[in-house]
Amino acid sequence: MVKQLATCVLQKGVGSMDYIHSMMIVMYDGDEDDVPPVQQNIQEASSPSNSNARQEPVPDWCRCDHCFIMPQAIENKCCTHKKCVTNTRRFRKLCLDPEFLLLSSRNVGDIRNDPHDNSTRAFRKQAYRHYILDTYGYLGKGNRKVAPSCVVTCIRRHYPSPTGVYMGYREH
């Protein structure tokens, strides 16, 4: 079953090894300590030491050493914490936990009467919303804030686009 899930997800181009591991944890519904051997191998393959090697210098405007230069100048923003916000347990729970994102996505879908969407795109959007809501509170319709580069990069690594193309920040 695990191999079938991984093959199906990767063939559709909707995830990374991190995504597959997190979905298997959701399906397995066990503790991280009880992860079957196949999942442990995936966890080792997707560990930060293997996938997050920095290849470009840290931008001058970055204080946390986790930011990257973004396509739009307005997106070149840092969380400004010495210990990057992406390294906190709160961020991992609110913005990277697939169970939490799935529940949130279902809730939004119920309110808007939208079909259920559990794609990496939907998870990314929910993760950005959670970060902004947690940081700034409710902004109201049409009011937007820019998420820091480190936050955007972390979320994109965890829930990548199958095409590698991202929308970026839009003011309207």
Side-chain angles (χ1 to χ4, degrees):
M1 181 178 124
V2 173
K3 189 174 181 178
Q4 289 173 337
L5 173 69
T7 303
C8 178
V9 170
L10 290 174
Q11 283 176 344
K12 290 181 180 180
V14 293
S16 65
M17 294 305 280
D18 287 334
Y19 176 72
I20 292 169
H21 176 257
S22 61
M23 291 309 294
M24 286 191 294
I25 294 293
V26 170
M27 290 179 68
Y28 183 67
D29 202 22
D31 294 331
E32 288 273 344
D33 299 334
D34 298 333
V35 177
V38 173
Q39 291 179 356
Q40 288 175 350
N41 292 339
I42 290 173
Q43 189 171 14
E44 291 166 9
S46 65
S47 68
S49 61
N50 295 338
S51 62
N52 294 343
R54 186 168 196 101
Q55 297 177 355
E56 50 185 85
V58 177
D60 295 338
W61 44 265
C62 177
R63 292 186 187 169
C64 69
D65 292 335
H66 286 79
C67 295
F68 288 85
I69 295 175
M70 303 300 281
Q72 300 179 57
I74 195 169
E75 295 176 299
N76 290 330
K77 176 182 173 181
C78 180
C79 67
T80 68
H81 296 274
K82 188 155 183 93
K83 178 185 176 195
C84 186
V85 71
T86 62
N87 291 332
T88 63
R89 288 180 66 200
R90 183 175 182 85
F91 177 82
R92 286 191 304 273
K93 185 65 179 170
L94 291 175
C95 301
L96 301 179
D97 183 351
E99 292 176 1
F100 191 69
L101 294 174
L102 183 62
L103 181 64
S104 179
S105 179
R106 284 183 180 165
N107 183 43
V108 169
D110 285 350
I111 291 170
R112 295 181 180 171
N113 199 21
D114 290 339
H116 177 65
D117 182 8
N118 65 347
S119 66
T120 55
R121 178 180 180 269
F123 278 23
R124 273 195 316 276
K125 290 180 89 173
Q126 285 300 324
Y128 299 143
R129 285 185 188 123
H130 289 179
Y131 175 79
I132 295 298
L133 181 63
D134 184 52
T135 305
Y136 301 105
Y138 178 72
L139 298 176
K141 186 176 181 178
N143 297 320
R144 295 173 181 250
K145 294 283 187 181
V146 178
S149 169
C150 47
V151 169
V152 172
T153 302
C154 181
I155 292 170
R156 286 179 180 175
R157 280 188 179 149
H158 206 76
Y159 299 106
S161 166
T163 62
V165 177
Y166 299 94
M167 183 183 303
Y169 177 77
R170 294 186 304 179
E171 289 192 39
H172 304 307

